[in-house]
Amino acid sequence: MPLCPVFAHSFLDRALLLRFSPLIKIEMMKERFAKLLLGEDMSGGGKGVCTALAISNAITNLSATVFGELWRLEPMAPQKKAMWCREMEWILCVSDSIVEFVPSKQQLPGGGIYEVMETRPRSDLYMNLPALKKLDAMLISILEGFQDTEFWYEDPGIVVADPNECGAFSSSVSSGRPSIRQEDKWWLPCPKVHPKGLSEDARNRLQQCRDCTNQILKAALAINSNVLSEMEIPSAYLDSLPKNGKACLGDMIYRHIAADQFLPESLLDCLDLQSEHHTLEIANRIEAAVHVWSLKDRKKHRNRQKLKRKSWGGKVKGLVADAEKNQFLAKRAELLLHSLRLHFPGLPQTTLDMNKIQYNKDVGQSILESYSRVMESLAFNVIARIDDLLYVDDATKNCNALGSVSFFNRGGLGGLPVQMQISPSPFSVQCTPCTSSFATPSFCLSPLVSGSPGRAVSPLHKNSYRDPRTVSKTK
């Protein structure tokens, strides 16, 4: 009996794919490594990015391709899962050649012992890279566990909910569903559950997944923060800073920091922190002031050491007083920045962090930073999707007492679902095949807006929504 033409064609394609699959993988690997070696400059003119940034871009862009925005709790597609595992193995193989020499003892055949230097993986890679691989496998395992679930997703732009249905979503607000970093995403799906809500077992499994993912998030955050702190501050960032800390902060914040009594919480209450963009700008300003005062302190210290060899006049006393003032202001600014980060743990990377990533030359640090960053984003989004689903389940079970509840009227973040976008790297060569599209950053000096201490709660405040990054606030 002859095969159907369509079936025969599909069968032939599958047979050819299996036959030439190793060759296809080799060609793909050649293409990836050619792009890394050229620094994303496909013209070959040597104007591409450095190796460290090329690897960071490769990991970031691969994550954006495979995971995207992650708006559904569902297993990964087999093709994407295979692509992620295969290409990450290719990229991470570079770390096998990053070694350090350590002393070792070897025994001679005649019984003597002598010391030799042998190689082993560099200490930071040896400690953190296996941990990141474990976190990666755990996150994929968590996503794979969302099979045969008691919930599903529907497109709010197409599906019209029954007004008599328990837990129905308001159609008047379902025409758009922007996230923190995206707007007009009206086609993104909404979670749905049965009229009676999730069973107790299903809800317990979701909570266990959330707790486990929260631990993964904290581990990825710790690794990323540690790697960024060890990166050298680029000169391009230092050159872009104003000449003094007051110019960084503005008059109002500077007066609070330089006052006799300084309370970070009171100062934060006086600032307008209702938008993520403005909050990030204030964080950038405070961080810049810290480094301005620290640079002045180091410069004064060097000058003081020089003058000590010559004389002990009034100039030395003046330098000591200025140095103590710079140290004093820098410590207060660091305290304010720490308090701001505790209040808004979901803030994106600051200008300094982005500069460190862009100008970093250490390949090992680049691998750890980018890998931990994409794991952090993925874990954050998984927790956010679980929180969305738990909220819908609570609303469905309480709808008889509360009436029709909209998913978009939930508290916090202006009623918007939480999202950390896994977007392609902004440092990739995109404008031309020869030059980088990311120019040398300049320091922004737009005016700050202060508000009343009795203002409404900021949408980004730590108590406004269940942020998975707060260790003590998660359930």
Side-chain angles (χ1 to χ4, degrees), residues 184-213:
D184 299 330
K185 298 292 187 179
W186 54 267
W187 60 86
L188 294 171
C190 289
K192 300 281 286 184
V193 297
H194 295 290
K196 294 183 179 180
L198 299 174
S199 65
E200 193 65 25
D201 291 340
R203 189 176 177 91
N204 289 337
R205 285 195 298 270
L206 277 176
Q207 189 62 48
Q208 291 174 359
C209 288
R210 189 190 188 283
D211 295 339
C212 180
T213 310

Side-chain angles (χ1 to χ4, degrees), residues 217-234:
L217 173 62
K218 290 189 288 186
L221 273 170
I223 295 175
N224 187 264
S225 300
N226 184 55
V227 174
L228 282 173
S229 65
E230 293 178 352
M231 286 185 179
E232 184 181 355
I233 301 177

Side-chain angles (χ1 to χ4, degrees), residues 9-26 79 82:
H9 181 70
S10 176
F11 180 80
L12 181 60
D13 288 346
R14 187 175 304 174
L16 291 174
L17 181 62
L18 293 175
R19 172 67 177 82
F20 296 103
S21 179
L23 297 177
I24 294 174
K25 291 180 180 179
I26 291 175
Q79 298 84 354

Side-chain angles (χ1 to χ4, degrees), residues 273 275-276 279 343-344 347 413 458-462 464-465:
L273 304 176
S275 69
E276 183 188 70
T279 305
H343 278 69
F344 309 104
L347 278 178
L413 292 173
S458 168
L460 289 174
H461 197 273
K462 63 179 179 180
S464 338
Y465 72 105

